[in-house]
Amino acid sequence: MSILEFRPVRPVGSETALLDWQRIHNLIIPTDPLSVDEIAVRAQRNILEVAYAGTVPVGCSTVRPPEFDSAPGTVIARVLPEHRRHGYGEQIYERGLAAVRELGAHVVQTVILASNDDGLRFARRHGFVEIERYVLPGDTVAFVDLQLA
Ligand SMILES: CC(C)(COP(=O)(O)OP(=O)(O)OC[C@H]1O[C@@H](n2cnc3c(N)ncnc32)[C@H](O)[C@@H]1OP(=O)(O)O)[C@@H](O)C(=O)NCCC(=O)NCCS
């Protein structure tokens, strides 16, 4: 297993990382594709990183800080299907969890597309429990919000 290298997307980091983050996100969450501009706006508030095994982008992450003192923070790890089951998800998740705790989160949540069986199993194995399930307007697949118990 490689030790991953993490690079932030612009404006904090690079344009290349932003394009890699977009490709990975939109492939894994095809029901909610994000434009470059939408990602750049999110990157001003959230930590958006790409995980590289050597030079190969294998996954990405989103860390959302709590919006106020007692609000939850969010960690989302994503790994491309062809790179799964090599421990990369674990590395991405642990880094995201440390970051969101550092940002002051006492409550940690994640959000997973209901069709992502790998993601739901991974989250439950890491102690998350489902708190809400909803379909966004225009979507057919539900999102599942989970919270670290
Ligand atoms: C959830 C997700 C990030 C996991 O990524 P991953 O890289 O496969 O994660 P890991 O490799 O760390 O762990 C996955 C499984 O592989 C196993 N594994 C890890 N290294 C392994 C190895 N070298 N050989 C065999 N199995 C291995 C783990 O034990 C784990 O097993 P389990 O599913 O039985 O618990 C990935 O499936 C994904 O992107 N899903 C869609 C997005 C999503 O739903 N994200 C939300 C998660 S917070």
Side-chain angles (χ1 to χ4, degrees):
M1 178 186 68
S2 316
I3 301 298
L4 298 176
E5 188 189 318
F6 291 85
R7 295 187 206 143
V9 312
R10 78 161 164 87
V12 181
S14 74
E15 178 77 16
T16 304
L18 189 150
L19 295 175
D20 287 337
W21 193 98
Q22 179 187 37
R23 183 173 60 81
I24 295 166
H25 174 278
N26 291 355
L27 198 138
I28 294 175
I29 319 287
T31 58
D32 185 26
L34 296 176
S35 70
V36 163
D37 288 347
E38 287 171 319
I39 296 165
V41 168
R42 288 177 187 213
Q44 290 174 6
R45 168 159 181 75
N46 303 331
I47 303 174
L48 306 185
E49 291 185 329
V50 179
Y52 295 87
T55 56
V56 181
V58 297
C60 72
S61 62
T62 298
V63 172
R64 294 187 202 128
E67 284 181 14
F68 50 91
D69 231 11
S70 57
T74 301
V75 176
I76 306 171
R78 307 178 195 89
V79 173
L80 288 167
E82 64 271 29
H83 295 293
R84 288 182 188 164
R85 304 194 70 82
H86 290 93
Y88 295 151
E90 186 74 34
Q91 286 185 57
I92 297 169
Y93 168 70
E94 290 298 340
R95 179 179 169 91
L97 185 63
V100 84
R101 295 256 193 242
E102 182 109 332
L103 290 164
H106 299 293
V107 178
V108 178
Q109 296 185 350
T110 192
V111 55
I112 301 177
L113 207 53
S115 54
N116 275 337
D117 293 332
D118 287 351
L120 289 171
R121 193 179 60 244
F122 182 91
R124 289 185 180 125
R125 191 168 63 78
H126 286 81
F128 285 84
V129 292
E130 181 172 337
I131 52 170
E132 204 182 350
R133 199 173 270 249
Y134 50 90
V135 180
L136 292 178
D139 277 5
T140 49
V141 184
F143 279 102
V144 185
D145 285 347
L146 300 101
Q147 186 161 299
L148 200 50

